[in-house]
Amino acid sequence: MPSLDPSDAARLAAQASRSAAAPADDDPERLPTAQLEMAAFGDHLIPYVPPAPPTPLSLAPGALAAAILALVASFFTGWLLPLGAVAVILSIISLRRPHDSTRVGVWSLCLSLLSIVLSAGWLIWGFSQLAVV
């Protein structure tokens, strides 16, 4: 790395002090503590870019949990048919959202439709048994 000659260093320091003092010399109304235009309006300013908004929470895991719960309940009783309907609605909403997992949404939709079919089968069978008595 080349070293500067002492006379070159003094010349560069004098030139820098003249360029720093130059903006205050041309305006007699300017206060010595005023902001420089170069600092306020220069090309070095970084424009403000707002941060990206956070992605909302995914509905797919909740839809899958409701579908699994409705399916397990439909093996024993048909009274949780509305839970299967809620799982269908949640899975359809999660399939329409672009950031949710499509694979989990499809699984939750299939399982919740299966739970609705099984719950409806239990309810139809149970109500048919009431008519026999």
Side-chain angles (χ1 to χ4, degrees):
M1 191 164 132
S3 63
L4 286 178
D5 192 24
S7 63
D8 289 338
R11 184 177 47 83
L12 289 175
Q15 191 178 25
S17 68
R18 273 188 308 224
S19 64
D25 292 340
D26 62 353
D27 189 8
E29 298 294 318
R30 183 182 188 90
L31 295 175
T33 57
Q35 187 177 21
L36 296 176
E37 284 86 4
M38 184 175 58
F41 305 108
D43 291 338
H44 65 281
L45 290 178
I46 300 171
Y48 175 72
V49 177
T55 57
L57 293 176
S58 176
L59 287 179
L64 185 63
I68 290 172
L69 186 61
L71 183 64
V72 168
S74 69
F75 290 140
F76 301 106
T77 183
W79 295 112
L80 288 179
L81 184 119
L83 182 61
V86 168
V88 167
I89 292 169
L90 285 176
S91 61
I92 289 173
I93 291 173
S94 73
L95 284 174
R96 295 185 54 95
R97 295 172 78 177
H99 63 278
D100 283 0
S101 172
T102 306
R103 182 178 297 174
V104 175
V106 169
W107 271 102
S108 64
L109 182 64
C110 294
L111 292 178
S112 59
L113 289 175
L114 181 62
S115 73
I116 286 177
V117 168
L118 290 175
S119 293
W122 270 107
L123 290 176
I124 290 171
W125 178 81
F127 286 129
S128 70
Q129 296 299 312
L130 289 177
V132 173
V133 175

